[in-house]
Amino acid sequence: MEEPQPVDMTLDAMAKKAESLKLLGKGPEIYKKLSYLRKLRNRVHIHAITSDQDTDWWKINRSEVDTLRLVLYSFLTSSLFKPSKEEKDMFSFLRPGT
């Protein structure tokens, strides 16, 4: 069997790969949120700023932060990592509603 070779991937390609392999579970909703967060990330990219207020970060609302928390929690507690209950509990602060 050939040794797997590293491949440069964009965030979009990683999200599509995660969805095709169902790395974050079988429900389609998490993958829609992942795609949404990619677009949100594109808004927040910071470059050549002139002040700490010169970024779209200040336009992100609570709902978007909650979406980010949900996706991050789903990723960190997915079967990809096979976390124990104790490890899942370490990330409980990311669960929506906490």
Side-chain angles (χ1 to χ4, degrees):
M1 178 160 53
E2 285 188 38
E3 180 86 15
Q5 297 298 312
V7 175
D8 286 337
M9 295 183 82
T10 63
L11 182 57
D12 183 51
M14 286 186 259
K16 288 176 180 174
K17 179 66 82 171
E19 183 174 12
S20 71
L21 297 174
K22 300 296 184 222
L23 293 177
L24 302 176
K26 299 200 186 304
E29 193 61 32
I30 195 72
Y31 302 104
K32 288 178 188 172
K33 291 181 186 303
L34 190 59
S35 178
Y36 170 75
L37 288 177
R38 180 186 59 79
K39 294 172 187 165
L40 181 63
R41 188 271 329 241
N42 290 344
R43 279 188 15 215
V44 179
H45 264 256
I46 301 172
H47 59 289
I49 61 172
T50 57
S51 77
D52 65 349
Q53 302 293 312
D54 189 17
T55 173
D56 280 343
W57 166 256
W58 301 106
K59 296 178 185 173
I60 294 175
N61 63 40
R62 178 62 188 219
S63 174
E64 292 165 330
V65 171
D66 287 344
T67 298
L68 174 59
R69 290 172 61 195
L70 173 65
V71 170
L72 188 55
Y73 179 79
S74 297
F75 177 73
L76 293 171
T77 60
S78 72
S79 61
L80 179 65
F81 297 110
K82 298 180 177 76
S84 67
K85 180 182 179 336
E86 182 178 282
E87 291 166 329
K88 284 183 180 183
D89 288 346
M90 287 183 357
F91 298 115
S92 64
F93 70 95
L94 292 170
R95 277 190 293 230
T98 57

XYZ file of all heavy atoms in Angstrom:
805
model
N 0.853 -1.183 0.000
C 0.000 0.000 0.000
C 0.892 1.238 0.000
O 1.884 1.292 0.704
C -0.932 -0.006 1.210
C -1.766 1.217 1.260
S -3.282 1.220 2.225
C -2.888 0.691 3.816
N 0.489 2.254 -0.798
C 1.263 3.481 -0.882
C 1.101 4.323 0.364
O 0.044 4.353 0.977
C 0.818 4.307 -2.087
C 1.302 3.766 -3.404
C 0.991 4.729 -4.535
O 1.105 5.958 -4.304
O 0.628 4.245 -5.603
N 2.174 5.011 0.705
C 2.171 5.940 1.836
C 1.316 7.157 1.469
O 1.504 7.747 0.402
C 3.607 6.382 2.111
C 3.763 7.329 3.248
C 3.890 6.634 4.583
O 4.129 5.409 4.607
O 3.728 7.323 5.598
N 0.358 7.555 2.320
C -0.434 8.756 2.022
C 0.473 9.981 1.921
O 1.410 10.127 2.697
C -1.383 8.883 3.207
C -1.361 7.562 3.877
C -0.041 6.929 3.561
N 0.177 10.844 0.977
C 0.963 12.054 0.778
C 0.182 13.264 1.291
O -1.028 13.363 1.071
C 1.267 12.240 -0.715
C 2.117 11.129 -1.309
C 3.479 11.043 -0.654
O 4.159 12.049 -0.489
N 3.876 9.845 -0.263
N 0.879 14.178 1.972
C 0.182 15.391 2.434
C -0.279 16.227 1.242
O 0.387 16.280 0.214
C 1.244 16.135 3.245
C 2.545 15.492 2.949
C 2.280 14.155 2.315
N -1.424 16.853 1.404
C -2.005 17.680 0.356
C -2.416 19.006 0.976
O -3.034 19.029 2.040
C -3.250 16.989 -0.253
C -3.937 17.887 -1.259
C -2.880 15.657 -0.864
N -2.061 20.114 0.329
C -2.533 21.415 0.793
C -4.029 21.496 0.530
O -4.490 21.148 -0.551
C -1.831 22.546 0.045
C -0.388 22.733 0.498
O -0.064 22.332 1.628
O 0.395 23.296 -0.284
N -4.770 21.929 1.555
C -6.219 22.030 1.406
C -6.690 23.379 1.918
O -6.211 23.863 2.936
C -6.930 20.920 2.184
C -6.665 19.532 1.673
S -7.603 18.291 2.589
C -9.171 18.426 1.767
N -7.662 23.940 1.240
C -8.303 25.157 1.715
C -9.317 24.769 2.794
O -9.675 23.591 2.936
C -9.047 25.868 0.569
O -10.097 24.999 0.114
C -8.105 26.210 -0.576
N -9.790 25.761 3.526
C -10.825 25.490 4.524
C -12.073 24.924 3.853
O -12.705 24.004 4.381
C -11.154 26.753 5.314
C -12.183 26.602 6.424
C -11.765 25.537 7.438
C -12.410 27.934 7.117
N -12.403 25.430 2.673
C -13.547 24.927 1.924
C -13.354 23.448 1.576
O -14.271 22.639 1.760
C -13.750 25.749 0.657
C -14.977 25.325 -0.129
O -16.066 25.231 0.476
O -14.851 25.092 -1.344
N -12.170 23.078 1.111
C -11.893 21.676 0.763
C -11.960 20.791 2.002
O -12.473 19.664 1.946
C -10.530 21.560 0.088
N -11.460 21.295 3.138
C -11.528 20.508 4.379
C -12.973 20.304 4.820
O -13.347 19.213 5.254
C -10.732 21.193 5.483
C -9.242 21.067 5.317
S -8.355 21.731 6.742
C -7.876 23.321 6.093
N -13.788 21.341 4.703
C -15.201 21.232 5.083
C -15.906 20.216 4.194
O -16.691 19.389 4.673
C -15.885 22.596 4.993
N -15.635 20.256 2.897
C -16.256 19.304 1.973
C -15.787 17.878 2.251
O -16.578 16.932 2.182
C -15.958 19.702 0.532
C -16.731 20.937 0.104
C -16.363 21.385 -1.293
C -17.168 22.622 -1.670
N -16.779 23.191 -2.933
N -14.516 17.713 2.588
C -13.986 16.386 2.910
C -14.629 15.867 4.198
O -15.033 14.711 4.279
C -12.467 16.446 3.050
C -11.807 15.123 3.399
C -11.925 14.105 2.306
C -10.882 14.313 1.261
N -10.824 13.230 0.281
N -14.753 16.734 5.203
C -15.397 16.342 6.460
C -16.830 15.900 6.212
O -17.292 14.914 6.779
C -15.356 17.502 7.458
N -17.537 16.626 5.332
C -18.917 16.259 5.020
C -18.975 14.939 4.256
O -19.798 14.077 4.562
C -19.593 17.358 4.211
C -21.049 17.053 3.921
C -21.780 18.182 3.241
O -21.148 19.143 2.776
O -23.021 18.107 3.189
N -18.111 14.762 3.274
C -18.168 13.528 2.475
C -17.841 12.302 3.318
O -18.378 11.227 3.079
C -17.231 13.615 1.266
O -15.874 13.548 1.662
N -16.986 12.473 4.321
C -16.622 11.353 5.197
C -17.486 11.292 6.457
O -17.308 10.410 7.287
C -15.146 11.445 5.587
C -14.145 11.329 4.437
C -12.725 11.590 4.934
C -14.247 9.978 3.758
N -18.387 12.261 6.604
C -19.276 12.353 7.774
C -18.472 12.333 9.079
O -18.816 11.644 10.033
C -20.322 11.234 7.772
C -21.221 11.241 6.547
C -22.056 12.494 6.512
C -23.037 12.467 5.354
N -23.131 13.728 4.670
N -17.377 13.130 9.111
C -16.495 13.156 10.273
C -17.144 13.761 11.504
O -16.723 13.493 12.625
C -15.204 13.919 9.946
C -14.293 13.271 8.921
C -13.087 14.166 8.649
C -13.839 11.893 9.379
N -18.183 14.590 11.307
C -18.844 15.239 12.435
C -20.232 14.681 12.684
O -21.083 15.325 13.273
C -18.918 16.753 12.199
C -17.571 17.440 11.985
C -17.780 18.915 11.673
C -16.671 17.264 13.192
N -20.470 13.467 12.225
C -21.768 12.837 12.398
C -22.550 12.829 11.103
O -22.110 13.343 10.085
N -23.726 12.248 11.164
C -24.515 12.044 9.948
C -25.480 13.181 9.625
O -25.926 13.315 8.512
C -25.270 10.728 10.060
C -24.320 9.544 10.210
C -24.997 8.262 9.848
C -24.158 7.050 10.102
N -22.871 7.016 9.474
N -25.809 14.016 10.612
C -26.768 15.095 10.377
C -26.216 16.172 9.460
O -25.085 16.615 9.629
N -27.008 16.617 8.492
C -26.523 17.608 7.527
C -26.382 19.010 8.108
O -25.659 19.836 7.571
C -27.592 17.580 6.432
C -28.836 17.172 7.141
C -28.386 16.213 8.216
N -27.054 19.296 9.210
C -27.081 20.661 9.750
C -25.681 21.155 10.138
O -25.342 22.310 9.888
C -28.023 20.726 10.955
C -28.351 22.127 11.388
C -29.062 22.944 10.321
O -29.817 22.384 9.513
O -28.840 24.171 10.302
N -24.876 20.304 10.725
C -23.544 20.739 11.165
C -22.686 21.143 9.970
O -21.882 22.063 10.047
C -22.852 19.664 12.034
C -21.657 20.272 12.783
C -22.406 18.479 11.227
C -22.026 21.180 13.889
N -22.861 20.487 8.835
C -22.060 20.804 7.649
C -22.504 22.123 7.014
O -21.677 22.856 6.476
C -22.098 19.637 6.658
C -21.578 18.384 7.314
C -22.439 17.381 7.720
C -20.221 18.235 7.593
C -21.968 16.260 8.368
C -19.746 17.117 8.238
C -20.622 16.121 8.627
O -20.138 15.027 9.280
N -23.796 22.440 7.122
C -24.272 23.741 6.663
C -23.649 24.841 7.521
O -23.237 25.881 7.025
C -25.795 23.818 6.733
C -26.502 22.986 5.697
C -28.008 23.087 5.864
C -28.716 22.102 4.960
N -30.153 22.053 5.229
N -23.580 24.575 8.832
C -22.992 25.545 9.744
C -21.494 25.698 9.470
O -20.956 26.793 9.539
C -23.242 25.136 11.190
C -24.693 25.251 11.606
C -24.886 24.857 13.044
C -26.328 24.812 13.468
N -27.095 26.010 13.312
N -20.839 24.607 9.165
C -19.415 24.653 8.854
C -19.164 25.508 7.616
O -18.242 26.331 7.584
C -18.893 23.230 8.650
C -17.398 23.037 8.555
C -16.688 23.539 9.800
C -17.080 21.557 8.349
N -19.985 25.344 6.612
C -19.873 26.153 5.394
C -20.122 27.628 5.707
O -19.415 28.509 5.218
C -20.860 25.656 4.347
O -20.788 26.449 3.198
N -21.112 27.893 6.546
C -21.415 29.265 6.949
C -20.212 29.883 7.672
O -19.858 31.040 7.439
C -22.649 29.283 7.844
C -22.899 30.616 8.486
C -23.414 31.674 7.747
C -22.605 30.829 9.820
C -23.628 32.911 8.330
C -22.814 32.055 10.410
C -23.323 33.092 9.662
O -23.527 34.313 10.246
N -19.571 29.103 8.545
C -18.431 29.622 9.299
C -17.245 29.926 8.392
O -16.464 30.838 8.665
C -18.020 28.650 10.405
C -18.994 28.594 11.569
C -18.543 27.554 12.581
C -19.151 29.950 12.232
N -17.120 29.197 7.316
C -16.057 29.495 6.353
C -16.268 30.895 5.780
O -15.342 31.696 5.682
C -16.033 28.457 5.236
C -14.941 28.703 4.200
C -15.058 27.744 3.038
N -16.332 27.839 2.343
C -16.639 28.779 1.453
N -15.774 29.714 1.135
N -17.814 28.777 0.850
N -17.521 31.209 5.458
C -17.831 32.544 4.936
C -17.611 33.613 6.014
O -17.106 34.698 5.732
C -19.262 32.584 4.421
C -19.463 31.701 3.205
C -20.924 31.602 2.813
C -21.073 30.576 1.703
N -22.438 30.158 1.510
N -17.964 33.279 7.245
C -17.749 34.196 8.355
C -16.254 34.440 8.554
O -15.820 35.573 8.755
C -18.371 33.622 9.633
C -18.273 34.453 10.889
C -19.021 35.772 10.719
C -18.831 33.676 12.071
N -15.472 33.401 8.477
C -14.019 33.521 8.607
C -13.473 34.470 7.548
O -12.595 35.292 7.825
C -13.384 32.140 8.465
C -11.904 31.996 8.757
C -10.918 32.200 7.642
N -11.312 31.873 6.313
C -10.729 30.970 5.556
N -9.753 30.251 6.022
N -11.123 30.792 4.315
N -14.011 34.383 6.359
C -13.545 35.263 5.288
C -13.817 36.733 5.607
O -13.060 37.607 5.206
C -14.198 34.885 3.958
C -13.692 33.568 3.445
O -12.670 33.061 3.879
N -14.431 32.986 2.517
N -14.876 37.007 6.344
C -15.197 38.382 6.748
C -14.221 38.912 7.783
O -14.009 40.114 7.896
C -16.598 38.459 7.353
C -17.683 38.524 6.356
C -19.053 38.790 6.957
N -19.110 39.261 8.325
C -20.058 38.936 9.190
N -21.034 38.129 8.839
N -20.059 39.414 10.403
N -13.670 38.022 8.597
C -12.880 38.426 9.751
C -11.380 38.494 9.463
O -10.632 39.017 10.257
C -13.153 37.467 10.934
C -12.344 37.830 12.152
C -14.629 37.477 11.276
N -10.961 37.988 8.336
C -9.530 38.026 8.034
C -8.987 39.429 8.253
O -9.524 40.400 7.738
C -9.277 37.578 6.598
C -8.919 36.138 6.510
N -7.654 35.702 6.294
C -9.672 35.040 6.653
C -7.635 34.391 6.273
N -8.861 33.966 6.497
N -7.935 39.507 9.033
C -7.350 40.803 9.366
C -6.083 40.987 8.537
O -5.211 40.121 8.537
C -7.028 40.881 10.871
C -8.296 40.671 11.687
C -6.343 42.189 11.203
C -8.052 40.544 13.165
N -5.987 42.117 7.858
C -4.785 42.427 7.095
C -4.664 43.939 6.933
O -5.659 44.633 6.731
C -4.794 41.738 5.735
C -5.957 42.126 4.888
N -7.247 41.737 5.132
C -6.019 42.926 3.801
C -8.053 42.247 4.225
N -7.349 42.983 3.401
N -3.461 44.437 7.054
C -3.173 45.862 6.862
C -4.157 46.756 7.606
O -4.723 47.689 7.040
C -3.148 46.195 5.379
N -4.369 46.480 8.872
C -5.294 47.302 9.652
C -4.581 48.539 10.183
O -3.367 48.532 10.381
C -5.940 46.503 10.800
C -4.891 45.985 11.772
C -6.773 45.362 10.253
C -5.455 45.363 13.015
N -5.341 49.575 10.420
C -4.765 50.807 10.957
C -5.115 51.017 12.426
O -4.509 51.839 13.090
C -5.239 52.031 10.145
O -6.659 52.073 10.158
C -4.724 51.953 8.711
N -6.106 50.274 12.926
C -6.461 50.338 14.342
C -7.116 49.024 14.748
O -7.475 48.219 13.896
C -7.422 51.499 14.618
O -8.727 51.158 14.203
N -7.283 48.832 16.051
C -7.913 47.593 16.521
C -9.403 47.546 16.189
O -10.048 46.515 16.343
C -7.679 47.374 18.014
C -8.341 48.427 18.889
O -8.810 49.454 18.353
O -8.384 48.219 20.112
N -9.972 48.633 15.717
C -11.385 48.667 15.320
C -11.572 48.447 13.819
O -12.688 48.407 13.331
C -12.008 50.012 15.709
C -11.922 50.321 17.187
C -12.763 49.393 18.035
O -13.926 49.164 17.734
N -12.193 48.838 19.092
N -10.461 48.302 13.098
C -10.479 48.209 11.637
C -10.596 46.752 11.175
O -9.735 46.235 10.485
C -9.205 48.848 11.076
C -9.237 48.986 9.575
O -10.339 48.906 8.995
O -8.160 49.169 8.981
N -11.674 46.079 11.571
C -11.902 44.687 11.194
C -13.388 44.376 11.299
O -14.101 45.017 12.072
C -11.086 43.718 12.075
O -11.462 42.386 11.779
C -11.307 43.970 13.548
N -13.837 43.417 10.544
C -15.239 43.005 10.615
C -15.546 42.195 11.871
O -16.684 41.826 12.104
C -15.622 42.188 9.372
C -15.905 43.074 8.178
O -16.117 44.287 8.375
O -15.924 42.554 7.059
N -14.537 41.899 12.687
C -14.758 41.166 13.931
C -15.855 41.839 14.755
O -16.678 41.191 15.372
C -13.473 41.083 14.749
C -13.703 40.638 16.149
C -13.705 41.402 17.265
C -14.020 39.301 16.583
N -13.981 40.640 18.370
C -14.184 39.336 17.973
C -14.175 38.079 15.919
C -14.490 38.214 18.723
C -14.479 36.959 16.683
C -14.633 37.032 18.054
N -15.887 43.151 14.744
C -16.837 43.914 15.555
C -18.265 43.765 15.056
O -19.202 44.179 15.724
C -16.426 45.378 15.611
C -15.052 45.506 16.187
C -13.909 45.796 15.502
C -14.660 45.275 17.536
N -12.832 45.767 16.341
C -13.264 45.450 17.611
C -15.342 44.936 18.701
C -12.544 45.307 18.787
C -14.626 44.792 19.873
C -13.248 44.974 19.911
N -18.468 43.178 13.885
C -19.803 42.987 13.326
C -20.366 41.593 13.598
O -21.486 41.301 13.220
C -19.780 43.233 11.814
C -19.423 44.662 11.463
C -19.357 44.850 9.976
C -18.878 46.250 9.640
N -18.640 46.415 8.223
N -19.594 40.736 14.241
C -20.051 39.377 14.532
C -21.005 39.418 15.709
O -20.716 40.022 16.742
C -18.861 38.448 14.820
C -18.030 38.299 13.553
C -19.330 37.094 15.319
C -16.778 37.512 13.728
N -22.155 38.746 15.565
C -23.150 38.777 16.628
C -23.124 37.487 17.460
O -22.400 36.544 17.161
C -24.544 39.052 16.054
C -25.001 37.957 15.108
O -24.786 36.763 15.353
N -25.646 38.340 14.021
N -23.925 37.476 18.488
C -23.962 36.345 19.437
C -24.349 35.031 18.741
O -23.792 33.974 19.038
C -24.950 36.657 20.566
C -25.132 35.563 21.581
C -23.829 35.299 22.285
N -23.927 34.143 23.134
C -23.372 34.068 24.325
N -22.670 35.072 24.803
N -23.497 32.982 25.031
N -25.288 35.089 17.826
C -25.720 33.899 17.099
C -24.549 33.268 16.327
O -24.404 32.051 16.281
C -26.858 34.259 16.153
O -27.197 33.165 15.340
N -23.723 34.118 15.715
C -22.572 33.619 14.966
C -21.532 32.994 15.897
O -20.942 31.964 15.582
C -21.965 34.750 14.129
C -22.900 35.176 13.019
C -22.549 36.504 12.392
O -21.986 37.387 13.086
O -22.855 36.671 11.204
N -21.337 33.590 17.063
C -20.422 33.021 18.055
C -20.955 31.670 18.533
O -20.198 30.704 18.670
C -20.205 33.987 19.236
C -19.429 33.315 20.362
C -19.482 35.245 18.771
N -22.257 31.576 18.773
C -22.863 30.312 19.193
C -22.701 29.233 18.117
O -22.457 28.068 18.427
C -24.338 30.491 19.536
C -24.538 31.230 20.848
O -23.574 31.342 21.641
O -25.664 31.713 21.076
N -22.820 29.630 16.846
C -22.614 28.683 15.748
C -21.180 28.190 15.749
O -20.922 26.993 15.606
C -22.960 29.333 14.394
O -24.342 29.696 14.401
C -22.688 28.386 13.231
N -20.248 29.091 15.936
C -18.845 28.710 16.013
C -18.602 27.739 17.166
O -17.914 26.721 17.007
C -17.978 29.956 16.182
C -16.501 29.725 16.425
C -15.863 28.946 15.283
C -15.786 31.035 16.638
N -19.176 28.019 18.320
C -19.017 27.133 19.473
C -19.563 25.738 19.187
O -18.928 24.729 19.516
C -19.728 27.740 20.694
C -19.030 28.970 21.233
C -19.823 29.664 22.303
N -20.044 28.774 23.437
C -20.943 29.000 24.400
N -21.720 30.052 24.351
N -21.070 28.150 25.391
N -20.747 25.676 18.565
C -21.367 24.388 18.248
C -20.493 23.570 17.299
O -20.256 22.384 17.520
C -22.749 24.598 17.630
C -23.428 23.335 17.096
C -23.746 22.376 18.231
C -24.684 23.694 16.324
N -19.992 24.205 16.247
C -19.157 23.489 15.278
C -17.858 23.039 15.939
O -17.422 21.902 15.754
C -18.889 24.353 14.028
C -17.833 23.727 13.138
C -20.186 24.556 13.251
N -17.248 23.895 16.717
C -15.997 23.544 17.388
C -16.211 22.390 18.369
O -15.431 21.440 18.410
C -15.419 24.765 18.098
C -14.028 24.621 18.684
C -13.015 24.176 17.631
C -13.588 25.939 19.308
N -17.296 22.449 19.143
C -17.606 21.358 20.067
C -17.848 20.046 19.307
O -17.330 18.996 19.678
C -18.836 21.703 20.915
C -19.208 20.593 21.871
C -18.505 20.421 23.051
C -20.244 19.711 21.588
C -18.819 19.395 23.930
C -20.569 18.689 22.454
C -19.850 18.534 23.630
O -20.157 17.508 24.481
N -18.612 20.130 18.224
C -18.892 18.933 17.423
C -17.608 18.327 16.866
O -17.444 17.110 16.842
C -19.840 19.270 16.272
O -21.068 19.702 16.764
N -16.713 19.180 16.416
C -15.441 18.711 15.865
C -14.580 18.056 16.941
O -14.086 16.938 16.772
C -14.700 19.883 15.214
C -13.351 19.510 14.688
C -13.222 18.748 13.540
C -12.211 19.926 15.343
C -11.978 18.388 13.049
C -10.958 19.583 14.860
C -10.844 18.810 13.716
N -14.407 18.743 18.066
C -13.514 18.236 19.117
C -14.041 16.985 19.808
O -13.264 16.229 20.384
C -13.251 19.339 20.149
C -12.449 20.530 19.638
C -12.441 21.646 20.680
C -11.040 20.118 19.266
N -15.340 16.768 19.764
C -15.913 15.586 20.431
C -16.369 14.531 19.427
O -17.063 13.588 19.793
C -17.086 16.000 21.343
O -18.096 16.629 20.560
C -16.613 16.930 22.457
N -15.972 14.689 18.169
C -16.387 13.744 17.123
C -15.640 12.423 17.233
O -14.628 12.305 17.930
C -16.143 14.347 15.743
O -14.760 14.393 15.451
N -16.124 11.447 16.499
C -15.487 10.128 16.491
C -14.100 10.177 15.856
O -13.312 9.248 16.022
C -16.365 9.116 15.749
O -16.538 9.524 14.408
N -13.784 11.252 15.179
C -12.452 11.425 14.617
C -11.398 11.340 15.714
O -10.329 10.774 15.527
C -12.372 12.784 13.906
C -11.053 13.166 13.276
C -10.720 12.224 12.121
C -11.107 14.602 12.778
N -11.718 11.874 16.893
C -10.783 11.876 18.017
C -11.093 10.810 19.065
O -10.291 10.572 19.953
C -10.763 13.256 18.681
C -10.279 14.335 17.764
C -11.149 15.297 17.295
C -8.959 14.379 17.356
C -10.710 16.296 16.438
C -8.509 15.365 16.506
C -9.388 16.321 16.046
N -12.290 10.238 19.016
C -12.709 9.218 19.979
C -12.472 9.679 21.432
O -11.788 9.019 22.204
C -11.985 7.896 19.709
C -12.285 7.322 18.346
C -11.539 6.007 18.141
C -11.885 5.390 16.838
N -11.294 5.962 15.668
N -13.048 10.825 21.803
C -12.817 11.338 23.156
C -13.560 10.541 24.225
O -14.644 10.015 23.984
C -13.371 12.762 23.076
C -14.444 12.672 22.044
C -13.934 11.679 21.033
N -12.939 10.468 25.386
C -13.593 9.851 26.543
C -14.622 10.834 27.092
O -14.661 12.008 26.692
C -12.553 9.553 27.620
O -12.031 10.772 28.141
N -15.443 10.380 28.024
C -16.429 11.275 28.649
C -15.713 12.434 29.331
O -16.147 13.579 29.244
C -17.292 10.514 29.645
C -18.323 11.421 30.317
C -19.150 10.713 31.330
C -20.151 11.562 32.032
N -19.950 12.988 32.128
N -14.619 12.143 29.994
C -13.852 13.192 30.671
C -13.337 14.235 29.669
O -13.392 15.430 29.926
C -12.673 12.575 31.417
C -11.844 13.567 32.195
C -10.720 12.896 32.950
O -10.995 12.311 34.010
O -9.589 12.948 32.450
N -12.869 13.772 28.545
C -12.387 14.696 27.520
C -13.534 15.526 26.947
O -13.384 16.730 26.708
C -11.656 13.932 26.418
C -10.334 13.358 26.905
C -9.734 12.335 25.974
O -10.493 11.622 25.280
O -8.498 12.232 25.947
N -14.689 14.899 26.736
C -15.853 15.658 26.262
C -16.248 16.716 27.278
O -16.601 17.840 26.917
C -17.031 14.724 25.991
C -16.903 13.933 24.719
C -18.146 13.092 24.503
C -18.045 12.293 23.218
N -19.263 11.518 22.956
N -16.185 16.357 28.556
C -16.542 17.303 29.611
C -15.611 18.519 29.620
O -16.027 19.621 29.976
C -16.530 16.628 30.978
C -17.691 15.667 31.173
O -18.655 15.724 30.365
O -17.626 14.852 32.109
N -14.355 18.322 29.221
C -13.402 19.438 29.177
C -13.859 20.510 28.194
O -13.530 21.679 28.350
C -11.998 18.956 28.775
C -11.316 18.189 29.868
S -9.626 17.627 29.539
C -9.238 18.068 27.905
N -14.612 20.109 27.179
C -15.067 21.051 26.159
C -16.525 21.464 26.354
O -17.100 22.131 25.491
C -14.893 20.442 24.758
C -13.462 20.148 24.426
C -13.036 18.850 24.240
C -12.543 21.171 24.299
C -11.714 18.585 23.932
C -11.220 20.914 23.988
C -10.799 19.610 23.805
N -17.103 21.131 27.493
C -18.526 21.420 27.712
C -18.826 22.914 27.664
O -19.948 23.303 27.332
C -18.995 20.828 29.042
O -18.316 21.454 30.122
N -17.849 23.762 27.943
C -18.082 25.207 27.897
C -18.415 25.678 26.477
O -18.973 26.769 26.294
C -16.858 25.973 28.428
C -15.656 25.925 27.524
C -15.414 26.938 26.618
C -14.779 24.839 27.580
C -14.303 26.884 25.788
C -13.670 24.783 26.759
C -13.429 25.809 25.851
N -18.124 24.859 25.474
C -18.428 25.215 24.088
C -19.859 24.857 23.680
O -20.358 25.360 22.683
C -17.462 24.506 23.132
C -16.003 24.957 23.192
C -15.130 24.014 22.385
C -15.881 26.387 22.707
N -20.492 23.983 24.465
C -21.853 23.561 24.102
C -22.786 24.745 24.095
O -22.722 25.603 24.982
C -22.373 22.508 25.087
C -21.924 21.118 24.776
C -22.671 20.147 25.640
N -22.265 20.334 27.013
C -21.879 19.357 27.828
N -21.914 18.105 27.429
N -21.507 19.609 29.040
N -23.665 24.786 23.111
C -24.656 25.869 23.078
C -25.491 25.875 24.358
O -25.798 24.835 24.914
C -25.521 25.527 21.870
C -24.654 24.665 21.011
C -23.783 23.895 21.979
N -25.790 27.068 24.841
C -26.618 27.210 26.033
C -25.835 27.178 27.336
O -26.412 27.216 28.406
N -24.496 27.108 27.244
C -23.695 27.104 28.479
C -23.001 28.422 28.669
O -22.891 29.222 27.793
C -22.630 25.983 28.463
O -21.803 26.129 27.318
C -23.261 24.628 28.490
